């Protein structure tokens, strides 16, 4: 290796630097964690310069890095060219000094949180903090390594203080008797052995979901479930979930240091390569987290965009998704020379001096404009198709509802087809239409739509609403509700709100409580509760899966169709009060 001393070297005398550089020539037996001679040497230099000194030792016992810190802290430089598989140790261990003086003598010494964060983030073989007295004499060394598995060492154990790390009993360096190579071999064998329970599908991303619960946050469980389902829909394996309770999120990393440690250890144990946050992250948070963890980091919006992108199959759907993605990326584009670009930009500053960032931004804007024009054209074509369909004179019944409510399942059951009814959110992005014929020989078109979802960011909402354009030509809306979902009343509100925003409240609507087959097994379920809800919402309870009460649903649709036909005959463009009378059959079987 080289002889460059890293870190806080400013102000060191040439003789001190020389001593530090000389450390690179030391080599220790590969079986020792560290030798007494080496410990003594770094202790002395460290006391002399009154700064922490650290060395990174490789598995051959050579010293790859010599680092100088401040009195309290040492910062490890970027390590290039080492093993960086998430489930592998780095092949380097850090031994560094902790200076003790009169003030912090009584403070609990040993490894601090920053040390443990380094250990976890860098997946060091181990970390050692060597206490140094003011006279340069080494005191005890505190050593810890990552616990591959909380069960590791169980039974044999001295002080197993934490579930993420194993702490060796503090001792003098000359007392250390561990064989380093054996220790590492055990650790690595264990890491291999604890292969995650679920089969590893190499093509799938493996994600840790991260939730930040602020005091005012309610519905944490529902949010967790929803994000997990979104992840599953996007084709990601969820290998762990982490909740951080905080008064307010950390501005830089969103979560605190302690949680970051947990994230890294869980990522290592479960071979995660992706962190998904259940909140919108700022561009700088994404950058900071990516740099720190070396894992891919995305937020909920990106996850949803990804699902949209996978699911869009029509030209229109694809364009809408692309627009949404570009709009999401635009404010997140930031080059290192941002400050510079601000200087050169503006009046008179454009032209040859334009930075790459500005060019990129302009390109994206041009692309968005082009896509929007294309979309416009398609939308006109669609309008034509819609008119043609109108001429056919079929009434259009549109399925709407929160995502995963069972819309596609219902369409399939009714149409007796098996089109895309999979247990994934957003199984339909592009509207699907089926012609349905009732027993009374009434014909209507039933169209499926993409599901609604709460907290959609504005740009996404636009793309999303555009996919719901079909609804403007609907004659009846079937609002499907997953009654077995604990948060269903909120789902109803979300849907209603979107309808209001889209000016669709005037279209006749039938509320449908789906999945009643799941209620039986629920705790606290009572038929009376359901009965009250049914009358409160004037809804029809069905099971799209096993077909319960579908005849009632069809009957309700037929009733509306009759009303609409009558209206047309009477040429009444005005709704009379009476038409809003309950048309839902009052007798229904719950099961
Ligand atoms: P969409 O997002 O509203 O189109 O929902 P889907 O039709 O894709 O259904 C979502 C999930 O709910 C699927 O796993 C369906 O099998 C399931 N599902 C739909 N309807 C019912 C039902 O009546 N009972 C039960 N138990 N599951 C259902
Ligand atoms: Mg669907």
């Amino acid at each position: 290796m080289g002889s460059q001393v890293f870190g806080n070297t400013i102000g060191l005398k040439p003789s001190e630097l020389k001593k530090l550089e000389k450390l690179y020539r030391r080599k220790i037996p590969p079986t020792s964690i560290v030798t007494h001679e080496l410990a003594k040497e770094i202790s002395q230099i460290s006391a002399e310069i009154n700064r922490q000194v650290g060395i990174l030792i490789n598995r051959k016992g050579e010293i790859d890095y010599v680092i100088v810190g401040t009195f309290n802290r040492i910062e490890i430089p970027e390590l290039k060219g080492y093993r960086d598989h998430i489930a592998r140790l780095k092949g380097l261990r850090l031994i560094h000094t902790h200076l003790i003086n009169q003030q912090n003598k009584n403070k609990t010494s040993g490894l601090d949180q920053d040390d443990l964060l380094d250990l976890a983030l860098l997946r060091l073989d181990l970390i050692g903090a060597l206490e140094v007295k003011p006279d340069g004499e080494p005191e005890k060394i505190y050593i810890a390594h990552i616990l591959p598995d909380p069960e590791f060492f169980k039974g044999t154990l001295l002080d197993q203080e934490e579930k993420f790390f194993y702490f060796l009993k503090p001792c003098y360096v000359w007392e250390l008797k561990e064989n380093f190579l054996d220790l590492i071999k055990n650790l690595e064998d264990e890491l291999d052995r604890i292969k995650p329970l679920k089969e590893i599908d190499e093509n799938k991303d493996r994600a840790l979901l991260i939730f930040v619960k602020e005091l005012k946050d309610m519905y944490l469980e529902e949010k967790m479930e929803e994000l997990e389902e979104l992840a599953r829909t996007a084709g990601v394996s969820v290998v762990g979930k982490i909740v951080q309770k905080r008064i307010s999120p950390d501005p830089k990393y969103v979560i605190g240091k302690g949680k970051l440690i947990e994230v890294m250890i869980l990522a290592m144990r479960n071979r995660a390569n992706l962190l998904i946050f259940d909140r919108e992250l700022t561009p700088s948070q994404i950058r900071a987290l990516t740099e720190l963890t070396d894992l891919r980091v995305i937020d909920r919006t990106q996850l949803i965009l990804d699902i949209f992108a996978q699911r869009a199959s029509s030209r229109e759907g694809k364009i809408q998704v692309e627009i949404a993605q570009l709009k999401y990326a635009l404010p997140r584009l930031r080059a290192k020379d941002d400050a510079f670009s601000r200087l050169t930009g503006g009046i008179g500053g454009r032209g040859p001096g334009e930075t790459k960032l500005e060019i990129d931004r302009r390109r994206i804007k041009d692309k968005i404009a082009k896509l929007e024009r294309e979309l416009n054209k398609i939308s006109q074509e669609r309008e034509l198709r819609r008119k043609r369909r109108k001429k056919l004179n079929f009434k259009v019944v549109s399925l709407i509802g929160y995502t995963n409510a069972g819309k596609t399942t219902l369409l399939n059951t009714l149409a007796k087809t098996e089109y895309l009814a999979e247990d994934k959110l957003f199984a339909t992005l592009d509207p699907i239409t089926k012609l349905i014929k009732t027993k009374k020989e009434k014909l209507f078109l039933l169209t499926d739509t993409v599901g609604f979802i709460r907290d959609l960011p504005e740009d996404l909402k636009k793309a999303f609403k555009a996919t719901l354009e079909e609804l403007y030509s609907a004659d009846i809306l079937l609002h499907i509700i997953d009654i077995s979902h604990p948060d269903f009343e909120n789902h109803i509100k979300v849907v209603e709100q979107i309808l209001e925003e889209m000016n669709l409240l005037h279209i006749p609507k039938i509320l449908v409580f789906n999945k009643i087959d799941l209620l039986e097994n629920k705790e606290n379920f009572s038929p009376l509760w359901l009965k009250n809800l049914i009358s409160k919402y004037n809804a029809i309870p069905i099971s799209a899966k096993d077909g319960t009460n579908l005849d009632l649903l069809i009957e309700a649709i037929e009733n509306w169709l009759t009303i609409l036909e009558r209206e047309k005959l009477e040429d009444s463009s005005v709704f009379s009060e009476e038409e809003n009378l309950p048309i839902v059959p009052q007798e229904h079987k719950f099961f």
Side-chain angles (χ1 to χ4, degrees):
M1 264 293 184
S3 65
Q4 186 199 345
V5 176
F6 292 85
N8 180 31
T9 53
I10 295 166
L12 293 181
K13 292 189 207 132
S15 62
E16 292 164 342
L17 263 178
K18 267 251 153 56
K19 278 185 197 166
L20 288 161
E21 280 165 10
K22 258 173 74 184
L23 286 172
Y24 278 110
R25 292 192 222 147
R26 304 283 174 261
K27 191 168 184 233
I28 62 172
T31 49
S32 310
I33 292 176
V34 62
T35 58
H36 180 58
E37 293 71 38
L38 188 56
K40 242 182 119 132
E41 197 171 347
I42 61 173
S43 296
Q44 262 152 18
I45 305 172
S46 186
E48 194 178 325
I49 62 177
N50 206 30
R51 301 177 195 191
Q52 289 192 5
V53 170
I55 47 176
L56 285 165
I57 308 172
N58 67 26
R59 299 261 173 101
K60 288 186 237 155
E62 298 159 345
I63 290 164
D64 280 3
Y65 287 84
V66 175
I67 311 157
V68 180
T70 61
F71 183 84
N72 290 315
R73 170 104 187 92
I74 197 157
E75 233 165 273
I76 301 178
E78 197 183 342
L79 306 175
K80 284 239 167 77
Y82 291 88
R83 296 196 296 178
D84 59 358
H85 189 281
I86 182 70
R88 294 252 150 248
L89 294 170
K90 191 71 104 209
L92 283 178
R93 58 190 180 278
L94 174 71
I95 304 294
H96 69 302
T97 56
H98 273 189
L99 296 161
I100 36 180
N101 61 12
Q102 278 337 101
Q103 279 101 48
N104 66 10
K105 182 76 191 129
N106 298 323
K107 230 175 63 183
T108 45
S109 48
L111 295 159
D112 57 32
Q113 196 181 37
D114 285 327
D115 291 331
L116 296 176
L117 191 59
D118 280 341
L119 177 60
L121 283 172
L122 298 169
R123 299 188 305 278
L124 297 171
D125 289 348
L126 58 73
I127 192 163
L130 176 66
E131 295 206 318
V132 177
K133 289 196 286 192
D135 65 0
E137 275 304 303
E139 267 285 322
K140 287 187 174 172
I141 187 164
Y142 294 76
I143 294 175
H145 61 70
I146 291 169
L147 265 184
D149 178 333
E151 302 292 302
F152 191 55
F153 277 162
K154 208 174 170 189
T156 45
L157 249 274
L158 310 159
D159 28 5
Q160 183 180 326
E161 300 173 16
E162 283 233 23
K163 48 187 194 296
F164 301 130
F165 303 106
Y166 177 73
F167 295 89
L168 272 64
K169 205 171 147 80
C171 64
Y172 292 100
V173 172
W174 49 265
E175 288 179 306
L176 281 174
K177 33 184 191 304
E178 277 77 9
N179 178 320
F180 176 72
L181 290 181
D182 288 351
L183 178 73
I184 285 300
K185 186 174 182 311
N186 278 342
L187 284 182
E188 297 208 313
D189 286 353
E190 191 68 8
L191 273 171
D192 277 343
R193 200 186 58 77
I194 55 150
K195 283 229 167 61
L197 297 174
K198 290 183 215 161
E199 274 305 300
I200 296 189
D201 179 347
E202 293 296 339
N203 299 318
K204 264 192 169 184
D205 279 320
R206 303 170 54 79
L208 288 179
L209 308 184
I210 301 172
F211 305 86
V212 182
K213 183 184 186 308
E214 292 172 57
L215 285 179
K216 58 183 183 332
D217 270 348
M218 285 164 12
Y219 309 117
L220 179 67
E221 301 243 310
E222 285 81 10
K223 282 185 178 172
M224 290 177 74
E225 237 167 67
E226 187 170 281
L227 191 69
E228 187 166 5
E229 240 163 293
L230 284 170
R232 212 156 41 86
T233 302
V236 170
S237 314
V238 174
V239 297
K241 288 184 265 189
I242 292 167
V243 178
Q244 162 128 74
K245 294 192 175 129
R246 272 186 86 96
I247 310 239
S248 66
D250 180 82
K252 188 159 183 206
Y253 295 122
V254 189
I255 55 178
K257 276 183 188 164
K259 274 292 152 181
L260 277 171
I261 290 177
E262 186 177 341
V263 166
M264 288 314 290
I265 304 279
L266 286 185
M268 182 175 190
R269 287 179 184 162
N270 295 290
R271 292 154 163 70
N273 63 341
L274 177 65
L275 304 179
I276 305 179
F277 280 76
D278 186 42
R279 55 162 52 228
E280 260 198 87
L281 300 176
T282 65
S284 56
Q285 284 169 338
I286 293 189
R287 213 172 320 119
L289 282 162
T290 309
E291 273 168 20
L292 188 75
T293 62
D294 232 4
L295 296 170
R296 247 183 330 128
V297 177
I298 66 169
D299 61 15
R300 183 172 178 275
T301 308
Q302 276 172 290
L303 183 64
I304 294 172
L305 274 172
D306 199 75
I307 295 169
F308 277 25
Q310 288 176 27
R311 298 276 154 169
S313 58
S314 73
R315 198 151 63 102
E316 185 179 21
K318 282 181 179 149
I319 292 173
Q320 273 158 350
V321 169
E322 198 177 345
I323 291 175
Q325 280 175 327
L326 291 172
K327 283 188 173 165
Y328 179 84
L330 198 53
R332 284 165 173 79
L333 267 193
R334 252 190 54 184
K336 286 247 158 62
D337 58 359
D338 209 22
F340 179 67
S341 78
R342 224 173 291 125
L343 282 180
T344 55
I347 297 170
R350 272 177 241 285
E354 207 173 32
T355 63
K356 182 173 173 307
L357 178 68
E358 280 167 340
I359 297 169
D360 287 347
R361 284 215 174 112
R362 213 190 42 221
R363 273 204 198 119
I364 291 186
K365 282 186 188 147
D366 289 350
K367 183 88 203 255
I368 292 176
K370 184 173 157 273
L371 289 172
E372 276 172 345
R373 281 197 300 276
E374 205 174 326
L375 202 57
N376 234 335
K377 227 178 85 207
I378 299 175
S379 165
Q380 283 164 7
E381 287 164 13
R382 195 140 76 127
E383 184 61 31
L384 272 178
R385 254 184 291 141
R386 210 179 289 157
K387 279 189 182 138
R388 248 178 266 141
R389 198 165 68 194
K390 261 289 190 261
K391 276 205 194 119
L392 287 175
N393 228 356
F394 291 127
K395 292 288 179 213
V396 177
V397 179
S398 286
L399 290 161
I400 57 165
Y402 208 78
T403 190
N404 222 38
K407 299 177 291 298
T408 308
T409 310
L410 180 62
L411 183 86
N412 293 340
T413 312
L414 283 176
K416 289 279 171 263
T417 61
E418 281 299 317
Y419 195 87
L420 261 185
E422 38 182 327
D423 185 13
K424 287 188 167 182
L425 302 177
F426 302 109
T428 36
L429 184 67
D430 298 293
I432 299 298
T433 306
K434 298 266 182 272
L435 187 63
I436 307 282
K437 189 172 167 189
T438 71
K439 285 180 196 138
K440 292 185 191 156
E441 304 278 306
K442 276 196 194 295
L443 286 167
F444 63 89
L445 290 171
L446 187 63
T447 71
D448 194 7
T449 58
V450 60
F452 298 4
I453 195 159
R454 89 178 114 208
D455 298 339
L456 269 188
E458 270 316 305
D459 273 336
L460 264 184
K461 229 177 198 171
K462 267 186 227 150
F464 195 68
K465 281 183 187 163
T467 69
L468 293 172
E469 238 177 71
E470 288 274 331
L471 293 182
Y472 289 110
S473 60
D475 297 292
I476 301 170
L477 301 178
L478 283 193
H479 180 172
I480 313 296
I481 297 138
D482 175 357
I483 190 72
S484 73
H485 197 289
D487 207 16
F488 79 92
E489 292 200 90
N490 219 10
H491 293 176
I492 297 178
K493 282 193 204 121
V494 171
V495 172
E496 288 286 331
Q497 198 194 330
I498 295 177
L499 291 180
E500 189 178 347
E501 285 168 22
M502 292 183 70
N503 282 324
L504 287 166
L505 286 181
H506 63 280
I507 302 177
K509 188 168 56 216
I510 302 173
L511 257 62
V512 180
F513 286 166
N514 189 30
K515 307 199 190 178
I516 56 164
D517 56 300
L518 294 179
L519 289 177
E520 251 180 333
N521 304 323
K522 271 185 106 103
E523 271 177 75
N524 305 332
F525 169 70
S526 81
L528 185 65
W529 170 83
L530 181 59
K531 208 175 158 156
N532 287 338
L533 274 178
I534 288 168
S535 58
K536 176 177 169 194
Y537 284 99
N538 199 14
I540 303 176
I542 66 158
S543 167
K545 202 164 199 169
D546 65 22
T548 310
N549 288 341
L550 289 189
D551 44 342
L552 293 180
L553 177 61
I554 294 291
E555 209 177 302
I557 297 172
E558 279 172 342
N559 288 349
W560 263 115
L561 291 173
T562 313
I563 293 172
L564 292 176
E565 277 160 19
R566 193 161 14 113
E567 242 167 40
K568 201 172 167 200
L569 284 179
E570 290 165 4
D571 192 30
S572 64
S573 49
V574 195
F575 269 80
S576 74
E577 281 298 311
E578 298 172 318
E579 314 298 18
N580 289 326
L581 285 179
I583 51 148
V584 174
Q586 293 304 298
E587 285 300 310
H588 33 239
K589 41 185 181 314
F590 294 153
F591 301 108

